[in-house]
Amino acid sequence: MRKITYVIGLLVAFGLLAQDKTAMKYAKTITAEDLKAHLSVLASDEYEGRETGKKGQKMAAEYIAKHFESLGFEAPVDGSYFQKFDLTESAIGSVYFRKGDEKKVGFEDFVYYSSAETSGEEYIKAMMIGEESEDADYTGKYVVFVAEALGGLQEKAGKLKEAGAEGVIVILKNDQEFNAFITNYSPYLKRPSLRMEKRDNDANKLILVNGSMASWMYDKDFESIAAGDEVEIIFNADYLDKPIGTENVLGFLKGTEKPDEVLVITSHYDHVGIINGEIHNGADDDGSGTVTVLEIAQAFSEAAAKKKGPKRSILFMTVTGEEKGLLGSKYYTDTDPIFPLENTVANLNIDMVGRVDDAHAENSDYVYLIGSDKLSTELHELSEKMNKTYTNLELDYTYNDENDPNRFYYRSDHYNFAKNNVPIIFYFNGTHPDYHKPTDTVEKIDFETMEKRARLVFHTGWEIANRADRIKVDQIKEEKVSGD
């Protein structure tokens, strides 16, 4: 009996070893050279920053679709690789405050942010409040309060909206922070925005001013404006809306044994386009994630060609509109899930994996993991095991903390799967000074490190797709947490 047990043990061990060697064989097809070749195209000036709905995004979609076609993947959207849908593009017309013939111009003297309907010039009543007045009734009025810093303003504006406020005017006390915000973010806020929904009259109207702007509005030093002080002033905000088309790009590899169970591997291939005449190439954000998906897809396709295809199906999906509010992944999960979400076993999302942040300057062999344990203990343990077995990266969970102020868990495409109780892992290299800048370029990418991270995602996907049982969800919360 002992001899039989020993032989069985050897056979099992041999089988596992053979499986490990197979996975390692195809992981090695993911190379720094191939990643660089793809990224040198997608993050080139020719692609004009890949802004959603624009020429460069369309070019990138074609490039990705041709890659999926070359791998022999199924085109799962009625014979197409494109999941097309329309968004509403809103361009700002004219935004200003007016007193007589004098105007203060939006995005120069102040900042306005809202998705509410606009109706041209209107008199508004703006009333200063104190902290103790937040629970009062502000129906029909714009409320004004002083803030020391930018943090938490959206949340506070929401509470005031619930108390009846028509809009919220925030006086940012720190002139330096206000000027930096105007300089750094006004170019983004002035550009056309995209949304799925029509304009919402119930949406917050948030206006950010500095002390001198508040003094102009009230005709007195803003430091002397007291709770209850009101002023009537003309405010104007016009938007011009039009439909614009865009598309997610999907390639499908059918599973050999459990084809109805689907692993989804995602990245977003859009970026922010051209701002003030400068192309924002988005090499790291998220060209790095996109080409990682392309390379992982090729590794799985080569395995499938040798009859080593995954037991479960894999959907490789590069989504559009992430920079506009996770719109592409939201369309897939909330409007048109090509494969039912109840059959989706997990989502591995790759968003910015090509750089090394300052916290790891001495050791580039790391990756931030976010969300691996939020819904499935089993997925987290599997991820840890795959890393220990194959890649031995430092798995940094700093941003996985529930109290992390960056809230990255809610800020990339995996969240639209997670909110539907699909287990997720978000792979991320952290932030850097070139984030959303024209300096996020190919020559700054660390392709050797990127290769290691890509192989970790591949091995994790391989295990999820080939294990006997699908990943179990054991951390469902009674109430879902809403994103930003």
Side-chain angles (χ1 to χ4, degrees):
M1 179 64 74
R2 190 180 301 170
K3 184 176 181 181
I4 292 174
T5 303
Y6 176 72
V7 171
I8 292 173
L10 282 177
L11 290 173
V12 171
F14 181 80
L16 290 174
L17 182 61
Q19 185 181 12
D20 289 349
K21 283 185 175 179
T22 301
M24 291 172 68
K25 173 182 177 181
Y26 293 106
K28 288 179 180 177
T29 67
I30 299 170
T31 67
E33 292 76 17
D34 287 347
L35 290 164
K36 185 175 183 179
H38 284 303
L39 192 59
S40 296
V41 175
L42 288 173
S44 66
D45 285 352
E46 184 182 0
Y47 283 66
E48 298 181 351
R50 310 185 305 278
E51 183 177 2
T52 300
K54 305 298 183 183
K55 172 187 170 185
Q57 178 254 299
K58 303 290 185 180
M59 292 172 62
E62 290 286 349
Y63 182 93
I64 295 163
K66 286 179 181 177
H67 182 74
F68 288 159
E69 183 179 24
S70 73
L71 300 179
F73 285 172
E74 292 183 23
V77 191
D78 298 324
S80 172
Y81 294 104
F82 302 119
Q83 183 183 42
K84 297 185 177 183
F85 58 98
D86 285 335
L87 297 169
T88 298
E89 181 183 74
S90 297
I92 294 173
S94 183
V95 179
Y96 58 84
F97 279 101
R98 182 169 68 81
K99 289 170 58 179
D101 293 330
E102 190 176 0
K103 286 184 180 180
K104 294 292 185 180
V105 180
F107 309 102
E108 295 178 14
D109 301 308
F110 67 95
V111 172
Y112 175 68
Y113 177 80
S114 180
S115 59
E117 294 273 5
T118 57
S119 55
E121 280 197 353
E122 58 178 334
Y123 273 98
I124 66 170
K125 290 183 179 180
M127 182 179 74
M128 175 67 82
I129 63 170
E131 291 294 333
E132 71 283 354
S133 306
E134 283 189 32
D135 293 330
D137 182 4
Y138 304 118
T139 302
K141 297 179 179 178
Y142 278 68
V143 297
V144 185
F145 66 87
V146 178
E148 299 289 339
L150 289 169
L153 296 184
Q154 287 279 19
E155 182 180 357
K156 186 168 183 177
K159 290 179 180 178
L160 292 167
K161 178 70 176 177
E162 291 173 5
E166 181 71 20
V168 176
I169 300 173
V170 181
I171 305 172
L172 188 60
K173 201 168 184 179
N174 186 323
D175 265 348
Q176 186 175 357
E177 188 172 8
F178 177 84
N179 292 333
F181 188 85
I182 287 279
T183 300
N184 294 329
Y185 290 99
S186 280
Y188 294 98
L189 295 172
K190 287 168 67 176
R191 301 171 75 231
S193 64
L194 293 178
R195 64 174 55 83
M196 288 183 179
E197 303 83 6
K198 293 182 179 179
R199 290 197 170 276
D200 178 9
N201 284 329
D202 292 327
N204 287 334
K205 297 176 182 176
L206 182 60
I207 298 170
L208 184 68
V209 304
N210 62 0
S212 61
M213 174 78 186
S215 298
W216 175 81
M217 292 173 65
Y218 278 86
D219 282 324
K220 62 179 176 179
D221 186 88
F222 93 91
E223 296 278 7
S224 65
I225 304 172
D229 285 355
E230 289 192 15
V231 66
E232 284 195 8
I233 191 168
I234 292 174
F235 178 66
N236 185 87
D238 293 323
Y239 284 85
L240 308 172
D241 290 354
K242 67 178 181 180
I244 189 167
T246 190
E247 48 275 306
N248 297 325
V249 190
L250 287 65
F252 184 67
L253 179 59
K254 190 172 183 177
T256 59
E257 295 182 16
K258 302 177 187 237
D260 292 336
E261 295 184 10
V262 183
L263 165 66
V264 181
I265 301 179
T266 54
S267 66
H268 73 90
Y269 71 98
D270 66 299
H271 192 53
V272 299
I274 301 173
I275 302 175
N276 293 334
E278 292 187 287
I279 297 173
H280 290 54
N281 300 104
D284 190 28
D285 183 18
D286 184 30
S288 63
T290 298
V291 302
T292 296
V293 170
L294 300 188
E295 275 291 277
I296 292 171
Q298 182 166 325
F300 273 103
S301 75
E302 291 190 22
K306 297 296 184 181
K307 307 300 181 184
K308 302 293 184 181
K311 294 176 182 178
R312 291 179 178 83
S313 297
I314 305 179
L315 178 66
F316 299 91
M317 180 165 65
T318 61
V319 298
T320 185
E322 191 271 355
E323 301 289 2
K324 307 298 184 179
L326 314 185
L327 299 181
S329 56
K330 182 179 181 182
Y331 182 81
Y332 180 88
T333 60
D334 295 11
T335 303
D336 187 19
I338 303 300
F339 301 96
L341 295 180
E342 59 266 28
N343 292 348
T344 302
V345 300
N347 167 233
L348 305 180
N349 182 48
I350 313 162
D351 190 350
M352 297 174 60
V353 290
R355 297 282 293 269
V356 176
D357 70 359
D358 290 343
H360 298 85
E362 301 301 318
N363 177 23
S364 65
D365 285 348
Y366 78 98
V367 66
Y368 290 104
L369 290 194
I370 302 171
S372 61
D373 62 349
K374 301 294 188 189
L375 292 165
S376 174
T377 305
E378 203 168 53
L379 178 60
H380 177 73
E381 292 172 349
L382 181 153
S383 169
E384 287 276 339
K385 182 180 178 182
M386 292 303 99
N387 180 59
K388 185 176 181 180
T389 303
Y390 297 109
T391 47
N392 201 30
L393 294 170
E394 175 196 343
L395 303 184
D396 191 326
Y397 295 99
T398 298
Y399 297 126
N400 194 53
D401 188 332
E402 291 281 355
N403 299 315
D404 175 57
N406 296 286
R407 290 172 59 84
F408 288 129
Y409 178 64
Y410 305 98
R411 290 173 54 184
S412 190
D413 296 294
H414 59 276
Y415 179 70
N416 283 316
F417 289 91
K419 74 183 185 184
N420 287 287
N421 294 318
V422 175
I424 67 94
I425 302 177
F426 171 25
Y427 301 87
F428 179 51
N429 55 216
T431 58
H432 48 74
D434 299 310
Y435 175 71
H436 280 198
K437 297 284 191 348
T439 48
D440 180 8
T441 51
V442 173
E443 61 268 18
K444 295 183 179 180
I445 298 295
D446 182 342
F447 288 101
E448 298 299 328
T449 297
M450 191 171 155
E451 174 189 283
K452 296 173 188 176
R453 293 166 178 163
R455 290 182 180 184
L456 171 61
V457 183
F458 169 81
H459 282 295
T460 304
W462 181 279
E463 181 66 15
I464 293 170
N466 287 296
R467 70 200 307 265
D469 300 316
R470 67 179 285 175
I471 292 292
K472 292 183 178 64
V473 177
D474 61 0
Q475 301 291 322
I476 295 178
K477 296 179 181 178
E478 290 185 7
E479 294 184 8
K480 295 175 186 175
V481 180
S482 61
D484 287 340

